[in-house]
Amino acid sequence: MIKAFKKLLKKLFQAQILEKHIRKYKNGLKPGEKFKVIFGGHWANHANWLTLTEVDQDIARPLSFSDGSVDVIFSEHVLEHVPFLGGISFMKESLRILKPGGVFRVVTPTLEKILALSLEDERGRIYMQNIERFYAKEDAVLADLGLKGVSASYHVFYCNSIFTGFGHKFIWSAELIRNVLKSLGYSEAHIYEVGQGENEEYCIERRRRGLYLGDDWREDRSEKFVYDVDSLVVEAKK
């Protein structure tokens, strides 16, 4: 009973903090400025966006915004971390809180890109170094067996990392996301490559993924080339 009560108090406290966070952002908007929300956190700080982490807002649960109050919703590599039904709930709730004409933009690993995977070039080999780090023990066992290791079977280990690694719960296809959005009542939904979209201001996703062996992504958007082996963008409008 005490444990449940403490859990309830924690939820109430988090809800109050979130409410203050949202109010502070809203009060800071200039007249005519759009209300733009990033769900699931982000790799960089973006001016004039309200950034909510998974602690602030579980996207699989009702979103803490009133009907028709948000202009733009963005999430990058978040959808795959919730179960399928949680993803449906997020899309439905996003439609509820968007203003008429509001934009929903999601970036996520997609089956279309995964099935077309190729890591044969120099950038692909750099990308595989991150996969090898994730499977360090497996790589060592293969080496002990006299085999070349993870990089020699990159399709196998890459696909396992996408479907079972990093806390992933469900991998969508971009086509299925688009079809769900249309069925939920969005007026239109389109599939884009990373970095592309109707409004460049909303294309804030990383342009390159997996090419760094560290965690510093600051130079990512300064580069013109795009390298993302598994992601596509689905952008919809209410």
Side-chain angles (χ1 to χ4, degrees), residues 158-172:
Y158 166 79
C159 286
N160 275 280
S161 71
I162 285 294
F163 285 100
T164 65
F166 309 109
H168 293 171
K169 300 291 181 63
F170 189 85
I171 303 298
W172 291 74

Side-chain angles (χ1 to χ4, degrees), residues 5-164:
F5 181 68
K6 287 183 176 179
K7 188 175 182 180
L8 177 61
L9 285 178
K10 184 179 180 181
K11 285 185 177 180
L12 291 173
F13 178 73
Q14 289 176 335
Q16 290 177 345
I17 294 297
L18 176 59
E19 184 179 351
K20 290 180 180 179
H21 191 33
I22 295 173
R23 190 185 308 119
K24 181 179 179 181
Y25 168 80
K26 189 173 182 179
N27 291 339
L29 290 176
K30 298 176 181 178
E33 193 170 8
K34 292 186 180 299
F35 195 124
K36 300 177 292 186
V37 184
I38 298 172
F39 286 104
H42 206 245
W43 62 278
N45 294 320
H46 294 283
N48 305 320
W49 287 80
L50 172 63
T51 302
L52 302 179
T53 68
E54 64 276 10
V55 175
D56 298 321
Q57 172 71 70
D58 180 354
I59 67 167
R61 299 180 64 82
L63 302 179
S64 302
F65 296 86
S66 58
D67 296 0
S69 60
V70 176
D71 291 287
V72 185
I73 291 171
F74 176 89
S75 74
E76 179 182 358
H77 283 252
V78 177
L79 187 64
E80 67 273 20
H81 290 275
V82 299
F84 175 76
L85 295 181
I88 295 286
S89 175
F90 177 51
M91 297 180 213
K92 188 174 182 179
E93 276 288 284
S94 293
L95 181 65
R96 176 184 66 80
I97 70 173
L98 280 172
K99 298 177 183 178
V103 174
F104 174 86
R105 182 177 177 88
V106 61
V107 186
T108 186
T110 63
L111 198 59
E112 294 95 332
K113 292 293 289 285
I114 293 168
L115 293 177
L117 174 70
S118 175
L119 297 172
E120 302 286 356
D121 60 7
E122 181 181 355
R123 292 174 186 168
R125 287 189 290 272
I126 295 173
Y127 183 91
M128 272 306 300
Q129 291 182 48
N130 282 306
I131 303 298
E132 289 169 10
R133 291 197 305 170
F134 186 75
Y135 287 108
K137 292 181 180 179
E138 291 81 356
D139 193 59
V141 168
L142 288 173
D144 287 342
L145 292 172
L147 299 175
K148 292 183 178 181
V150 170
S151 61
S153 303
Y154 71 82
H155 277 100
V156 175
F157 286 94
Y158 166 79
C159 286
N160 275 280
S161 71
I162 285 294
F163 285 100
T164 65

